Amino acid sequence: MPQLSIVHALNQGLHRAMDADSKVLLMGEDIGKLGGVFRVTEGLQKSFGDERVIDSPLAESGIVGTAIGLALYGFRPVVEIQFDGFVFPAFDQIVVQLARMRFRSAGALSLPITIRMPYGGGIGSVEHHSESPEGYFAATPGLRVVTCSNSHDAYWMIQQSIASDDPVIFLEPKRRYWQKSEVNTDSHLNNISALHEARVLTEGSDCTIIGYGPTIATCLQSARLAAEDGVSLEVIDLRSLSPIDMPVLIKSANKTGRVVIVHEASRSGGVGAEIATRLTQECFYKLEAPVMRVTGYDVPYPPSRIEDDYLPDAERILDAVEKCMGY
Amino acid sequence: MPQLSIVHALNQGLHRAMDADSKVLLMGEDIGKLGGVFRVTEGLQKSFGDERVIDSPLAESGIVGTAIGLALYGFRPVVEIQFDGFVFPAFDQIVVQLARMRFRSAGALSLPITIRMPYGGGIGSVEHHSESPEGYFAATPGLRVVTCSNSHDAYWMIQQSIASDDPVIFLEPKRRYWQKSEVNTDSHLNNISALHEARVLTEGSDCTIIGYGPTIATCLQSARLAAEDGVSLEVIDLRSLSPIDMPVLIKSANKTGRVVIVHEASRSGGVGAEIATRLTQECFYKLEAPVMRVTGYDVPYPPSRIEDDYLPDAERILDAVEKCMGY
Amino acid sequence: MDQSDSVVQLLDSNGSFTNDSLFTSTLKESELIDFYRDMVLVRAIDEQATALQRQGELGLWAPLLGQEAAQIGSARAMKKQDFAFSTYREHGVAWCRGVDPVDMLSFWRGTKHQGWDANQYRSYGYQIIIGAHALHATGYAMGAYLSRNTETGDAGIDQAVMAYFGDGAMSEGDVNEAFVFAASYQAPVVFFCQNNQWAISEPTKRQSRVPLAYRAAGFGIPGIRVDGNDVIACYEVTRQALDRARSGQGPTLIEAITYRMGAHTTSDDPTKYQVFSEVELWRDRDPIERLKVYLRAKGVLNNELESEISNEAATLSERMRDECRKLPDPNPLSMFDHVYSESDLNIDEQKREVETILSRSQDN
Amino acid sequence: MDQSDSVVQLLDSNGSFTNDSLFTSTLKESELIDFYRDMVLVRAIDEQATALQRQGELGLWAPLLGQEAAQIGSARAMKKQDFAFSTYREHGVAWCRGVDPVDMLSFWRGTKHQGWDANQYRSYGYQIIIGAHALHATGYAMGAYLSRNTETGDAGIDQAVMAYFGDGAMSEGDVNEAFVFAASYQAPVVFFCQNNQWAISEPTKRQSRVPLAYRAAGFGIPGIRVDGNDVIACYEVTRQALDRARSGQGPTLIEAITYRMGAHTTSDDPTKYQVFSEVELWRDRDPIERLKVYLRAKGVLNNELESEISNEAATLSERMRDECRKLPDPNPLSMFDHVYSESDLNIDEQKREVETILSRSQDN
Ligand SMILES: Cc1ncc(C[n+]2csc(CCOP(=O)(O)OP(=O)(O)O)c2C)c(N)n1
Ligand SMILES: Cc1ncc(C[n+]2csc(CCOP(=O)(O)OP(=O)(O)O)c2C)c(N)n1
Ligand SMILES: [Mg+2]
Ligand SMILES: [Mg+2]
């Protein structure tokens, strides 16, 4: 099986999706000749032409709004938002128009649009290039919100997102973009675990760690460190932030009795709050400790020279585990 | 003490704020001659002229964006967004620019802007006129998010919001707009309980009900009905959705051991999730039951003929109380 | 079509034909009678809906009174394969696309968010968010181009798209971005701006100090002004713009100058901001009256035909009244449908909550 | 200033004076020398910052190479009481406002989100979100008007505002809404669009098929095109627009035609999309070179002065290199400051979490 970076896996996933369905087209700023600022769409305009890989004017609302029109016409647009921090001008089109079209039309109209977006911090860049806006989208009924933590998922989840008849916010963990891992390309979309499924990455008995996207590597590192101290962590890759695969989380929480949720986004009102609330609801008598959150703080993303103090790391995760164990 | 509707209380509160500080100015669509579609600004243009009560072009991003410029110049703009559903074109300006200016400038620049917005359902209107977008703002560091449930608070909280050096999202419970209650205007801003404070409306011992804005009347109704059945509910008016006045909530939860949170916004990712998570964290050993949420469902706001089935009512609150009591 | 202050008019407010240097009428008398009928009927629909709202049968209604010519003239210029994106006020456009007025009411009554199937009528439902649909229209038009359903030269295939919005909408970012995209991709879309002089209480000059049609040129789009109360001119100007779009010559912005003779919506009180004399002035420019005078003078409209049409209107109104009251309330459980294309555990669970409540109240 | 294709130029690319029917130079030779010095110094700043980024001292840098004349000419036309809102590329504007280059670096190094006090320099920090600040500039200008700090006729009081952005920004809703508001309120703001032919990899024609300055007229705003590599023309055109703004004649859009000679940012690889021959063409139009030729021909720039200026540049570069490395990292706890104007329990608690972690690592 080939070792691919997440960028390359996405690129090949997009290529395969475009091969499979001529209605798939890509739109965004600088995705054509340049191949995107992270090169995710590199070479695709050469392969598929400039009517399927479309450089858009510099206007995010315009990009998503015209993608909606194209989807109404029968296309499956895949939109790139260049960075997390630039998605907000398109917020109205995403949250009010895109998310609701199926509901509003009682199922008559569907908008199979995928919005790709690099997100998260840790790359030492300037303001607005390191954000985690997933909570806004996960709190919006009608949107699917997914993210990948490795190349295999990157390859398959992007194809599943494009194949989905629902609008999907597809979040790409930018600081892991160049991290390589194995991709099994010898499968078929129908044989891959469903887009909304969470995945247990390491089984454990003492405490469950739920992460997603860029924090998975950190969660796995914590599990290795904890194991050295004889503490057994069960790491779950959430993958889908909306809908949330509660059965997998509930099963794990009932087993370990302790849960730590990890995300880079600010703590308050994040995905962690929703998971904590639902798990407490479902596993009330089984939880030995309150569900803990290891997250970015309730502040705007700080200047990059102190971003390491903002981002969850293994030390903070292990602190939370210890706190759980102490209850 | 005069009995005033919330609309009139807001109107008089705005009047007093404009009298007190010549830097206060109002901006928005149709707020001048028309006095706003809900008449909250009625008569203010006559009193203060069209340079302090400014009819804006039809562009929400433009309104908030120019308000930011005016605030940088030294004004205290009070912006009206005509309906909840129309705030999203301004989302970028609110969440990326307004919320962060103080942080970004390390305190050098402050943007004392109040964004007023009618919100919530129950008025039998068409799409986009009945929404509860508060969760998005409450999850955004740097914004204060407040709401009133009665005329007294309407009168004072709007003045406090305007006086605050932070940007404030001021949510007005539109289906209670014409509900009258007493307003004590004989006080002074400094003697009023702080803007971020929650308020215990009825003391009780069996279960805490936390609501805000339009749901407070429903919560109080539930308390009366429960009392008939010998169940004692403690109703808390949250008032500030960000920051959240946790000490008041924790005290009550520790006392009653049971908590139900009520809001019209969708359940997932709402303000209820954050409160539930924090309360579980702080009162883990005192909670007899998981914190329950009685909310709108995880669907877009439905057509108005079935909105009563979507909105929390006393029956659903009492169901949740019963469920709590059964743990 | 170059930028100028002049306004295309083919039928003046006295009902006399006028000359325009660039446009002439291509319409047959039978077609003019059809237009007349359309306008009378949509005015009747509007009146009936307004009455139904007063009687508490509708939550809200946005009257089109005064804008019949702009809507009928432009929408009748569309071909079957074209597609319309409209605001909350384009009942006349929906009518021309074949939508039943009762289906229009369902939105305002609150039984549905979209009262009709957009694909069936090739007309998207009411859009409340000002300007948002200008981008959808542009994207749809890009789709037509990318699918090679334009520029074939086959009149039965070549598609174009109409985007309707008001003078107020011209200020929204989305509308201006739509101009950027439409121009950049030369999308076959016609922007039809009904300048009815008001955005609720704000006069057009708050949005722009120059004629709205001027906006187009700066985006590389032709802009043209037309007498929005002249159904013939609206038809001809739109037809030409649609033909341009279809044949690969790109987008056009049409500013139809008209007047909102009614309230903004049934919740509005225009006496707070409108000047009576101005309303009176526009009453003399009534779009239906002028066509009537013309057709009567021509002798193609006689008492008999007129009463036939007004009977038709009365029958339609009556049916609307009856059927509006009978519009079925949605099943409350339907709110859990179509949030996603597949079923979802969380939503199913919430649906069961409501089922429990409903079954309980049925038991009582 | 009416809409036309013509481009104001006073100094051609050979360094010879040209005539323009509407503009003449008002500048003294000493001022021209100052401009020359400014341009040389900001180019040195740019080179040094680019080098620092390569050495890993900065996270990113957006070079201004090629745009020196547009920035220096326009910003030198501002008065002390004016205010500038810029993008990430306007180092030359910040320079003219008196900002120390080391303070500029702090943003790119990631030690601060805003490297200088906006009010002190009357120049807002780098804005990354394309177009957002065009509205801030317009609102600020409305503030000047409402405060009666315009139209007084007193040259020391009357304020105007500069809004800088690029060709790409012309497509964003916010910029177009800024035109709407500026026109509606006749705000004293000058929109200065540096058309450097590129928005990262996209050529200007993706954003517009007509000259960008044309956009203005449709909003009721005068638009003017100027040779953005001619510092004298940029100065004169901006000065006149600022004077118009200050005296109550409303906003102007200036399109300065220039070229981005460097990469979009230090992360960019322009060889993927730029054509070498085009870059070479623009190299011949270098903004510094042409002023140098002119001043040398005039005899006001000699070897001595030139080496004085280049020494100054070298000294500045050296100081930047030294001080950049010494820029203090922020205290991690500072991230909890200034989220709100008052302290907050939740934030204080999170701050204590970090304090604990920091004190632990100090103990080790
Ligand atoms: C984004 C948004 N902002 C505000 C509103 C509230 N609103 C509804 S109609 C209207 C005025 C629209 O004026 P115009 O575009 O001229 O259309 P008209 O109503 O005259 O047909 C306003 C402000 C809205 N529906 N959407
Ligand atoms: C809202 C937003 N969208 C996208 C970006 C990413 N981005 C940064 S610069 C740029 C191109 C800007 O081009 P232009 O306006 O011409 O300015 P220039 O860089 O040429 O000075 C883009 C797309 C951004 N910063 N903000
Ligand atoms: Mg209008
Ligand atoms: Mg550019």
Side-chain angles (χ1 to χ4, degrees), chain A residues 92, chain B residues 29-30 58 60 82-83 85-86 89 129, chain C residues 67 87-90 128-131 165-170 172 194 196 198-200 260 264:
Chain A
D92 183 60
Chain B
E29 297 157 8
D30 307 295
L58 209 179
E60 289 75 15
Q82 203 163 74
F83 272 90
F86 312 152
H129 288 73
Chain C
Q67 301 178 217
T87 79
Y88 42 85
R89 206 185 294 288
E90 274 78 63
I128 294 285
I129 304 299
I130 304 292
F165 46 78
D167 45 296
M170 291 288 293
E172 286 281 6
Q194 286 167 79
N196 65 3
W198 297 99
I200 309 188
R260 199 195 74 209
H264 168 68

Side-chain angles (χ1 to χ4, degrees), chain C residues 22 35 150 225:
Chain C
L22 291 165
F35 285 7
T150 55
R225 310 184 82 202

